[in-house]
């Protein structure tokens, strides 16, 4: 199995490379060199045309069993979520990848997000048929990149799988999500201030995210597929579990009980088409995360 992988040095890509079978050959395409020294790396900024053209020359006439596109702009904080950042990192990068490398594989796998769903219209577990309408520039541009990939796959007769990941956790997550924020606060003994205490979240561990990508590589093109656990836990319970686990003196301050829609993923399509079955459920492996944050 030979793969062209983008975003290999990121949160998802790094764990994916750590978990793939030893006999898979990987060519990494990205701005930063992956932590592993065993994979071939071609420096490339997918949002920059000249950089892409240089990378194309280095790949030359190679072909791949799958292209795995994990490179994306993901804002680390709300302030980072600007239109220019999101357009360059999600839309432009996807267009350049497909335009210059898409012909080198019959199968394309793209990492996406449950943030493409219209949270105001979510009722019950989220299926792939739920209404999409990104509530952020990140979500909107990921949705746009999905549509571009779908059009490309249809026109060029490619197998396509789009993996919409739920709320991820595990390892050292550089994004200011709830779990890392709660861990940092609990370690410092600071108050954990929460809004929407009753709101449910489906936390999918990075190991299961990586496993889902491996499943997609091994399966036929499945279209849009949700990746989560199918289980929801409230924001209040999330905070309480972390405080208890760390034996912290932090208090939990609830500013509101409601506020936002539940994000709990229906994974039946992933189970059927990808043979994906989650193995880690929050708070599993929480202790591993606690050691990584200061």
């Amino acid at each position: 199995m030979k793969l062209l992988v983008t975003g290999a040095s990121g949160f998802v890509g790094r764990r994916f490379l750590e978990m793939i079978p030893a006999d898979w050959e990987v060519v990494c395409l990205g701005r930063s060199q992956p932590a592993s020294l065993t994979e071939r790396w071609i420096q490339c900024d997918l949002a920059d045309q000249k950089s892409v053209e240089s990378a194309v020359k280095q790949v030359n006439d190679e072909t791949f069993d799958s292209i795995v596109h994990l490179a994306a702009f993901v804002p680390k904080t709300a302030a980072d979520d600007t239109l220019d950042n999101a357009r360059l990192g999600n839309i432009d990068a996807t267009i350049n990848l497909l335009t210059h490398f898409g012909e080198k594989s019959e199968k394309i796998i793209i990492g996406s997000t449950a943030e493409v769903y219209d949270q105001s219209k979510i009722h019950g577990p989220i299926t792939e048929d739920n209404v999409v309408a990104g509530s952020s520039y990140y979500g909107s541009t990921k949705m746009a990149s999905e549509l571009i990939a779908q059009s490309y796959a249809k026109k060029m007769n490619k197998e396509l799988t789009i993996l919409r990941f739920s709320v991820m956790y595990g390892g050292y997550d550089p994004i200011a999500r709830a779990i890392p924020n709660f861990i940092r606060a609990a370690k410092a003994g600071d108050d954990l201030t929460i809004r929407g205490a009753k709101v449910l979240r489906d936390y999918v561990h990075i190991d299961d995210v990586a496993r889902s990508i491996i499943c997609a590589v091994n399966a036929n093109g499945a279209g849009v597929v949700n990746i989560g656990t199918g289980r929801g836990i409230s924001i209040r319970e999330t905070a309480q579990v972390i405080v208890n686990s760390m034996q912290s003196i932090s208090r939990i301050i609830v500013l509101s009980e409601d506020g936002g829609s539940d994000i709990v993923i229906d994974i039946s399509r992933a189970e059927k088409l990808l043979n994906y079955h989650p193995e880690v459920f929050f708070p599993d492996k929480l202790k591993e995360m606690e050691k990584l944050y200061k």
Side-chain angles (χ1 to χ4, degrees):
M1 186 72 70
K2 185 175 181 179
L3 309 180
L4 179 67
V5 178
T6 73
S9 62
F11 180 49
V12 175
R14 180 170 53 188
R15 191 64 182 130
F16 171 63
L17 289 189
E18 291 171 346
M19 294 183 68
I20 61 173
D23 60 346
W24 285 16
E25 181 183 354
V26 177
V27 176
C28 300
L29 198 67
R31 291 179 298 179
S32 302
Q33 185 171 359
S36 169
L37 299 178
T38 60
E39 276 76 35
R40 179 177 156 211
W41 172 59
I42 298 174
Q43 188 171 26
C44 177
D45 181 351
L46 283 170
D48 181 86
Q49 190 67 30
K50 289 185 178 179
S51 180
V52 172
E53 290 172 358
S54 174
V56 170
K57 293 176 182 177
Q58 295 178 66
V59 173
N60 200 8
D61 58 355
E62 291 180 68
T63 59
F64 304 89
D65 295 293
S66 294
I67 293 174
V68 180
H69 183 33
L70 304 175
F73 163 74
V74 183
K76 290 182 172 61
T77 66
D80 294 333
D81 187 39
T82 68
L83 184 54
D84 278 347
N85 286 340
R87 175 183 58 81
L88 288 168
N90 296 329
I91 297 176
D92 290 8
T94 300
I95 290 173
N96 283 334
L97 176 72
L98 296 175
T99 300
H100 295 280
F101 297 95
E103 64 183 18
K104 296 182 178 296
S105 177
E106 295 306 310
K107 184 187 294 184
I108 299 169
I109 297 156
I110 294 181
S112 191
T113 173
E115 290 192 38
V116 302
Y117 291 112
D118 186 345
Q119 293 192 22
S120 69
K121 293 182 170 59
I122 293 175
H123 303 287
I126 302 173
T127 71
E128 291 80 2
D129 294 327
N130 269 78
V131 176
V132 292
S135 57
S136 63
Y137 290 133
Y138 165 62
S140 297
T141 53
K142 288 299 291 182
M143 181 173 62
S145 67
E146 284 189 17
L147 293 173
I148 290 164
Q150 288 172 326
S151 298
Y152 178 86
K154 184 175 182 180
K155 184 173 183 178
M156 304 302 290
N157 194 29
K158 303 289 184 180
E159 292 187 46
L160 176 66
T161 300
I162 295 171
L163 303 171
R164 288 178 178 166
F165 304 126
S166 186
V167 183
M168 294 184 281
Y169 83 102
Y172 183 81
D173 184 355
I175 309 303
R177 296 184 239 258
I179 291 177
N181 287 346
F182 290 165
I183 290 174
R184 289 189 180 97
K187 267 201 167 183
D190 297 336
D191 291 342
L192 277 65
T193 304
I194 60 177
R195 293 179 174 83
K198 293 181 179 179
V199 174
L200 301 179
R201 289 291 180 263
D202 184 341
Y203 298 114
V204 59
H205 193 269
I206 191 65
D207 287 2
D208 281 329
V209 169
R211 271 188 282 268
S212 75
I213 302 167
I214 294 172
C215 289
V217 171
N218 288 324
N220 295 325
V224 176
V225 183
N226 287 336
I227 301 296
T229 68
R231 301 183 186 181
I233 180 172
S234 71
I235 302 296
R236 183 203 304 273
E237 187 177 354
T238 302
Q240 191 64 64
V241 166
I242 290 172
V243 169
N244 292 347
S245 175
M246 300 180 66
Q247 299 181 324
S248 173
I249 62 172
S250 297
R251 298 178 304 160
I252 297 174
I253 308 298
V254 176
L255 299 184
S256 64
E257 293 289 340
D258 299 307
S261 300
D262 297 337
I263 298 179
V264 181
I265 301 297
D266 182 326
I267 61 171
S268 56
R269 184 176 173 87
E271 291 174 323
K272 179 181 179 181
L273 298 182
L274 301 183
N275 195 29
Y276 160 79
H277 304 283
E279 299 179 13
V280 183
F281 299 89
F282 184 84
D284 293 352
K285 300 197 175 185
L286 182 59
K287 288 293 185 182
E288 294 179 8
M289 290 187 71
E290 292 172 3
K291 297 175 184 177
L292 298 173
Y293 290 89
K294 296 180 179 180

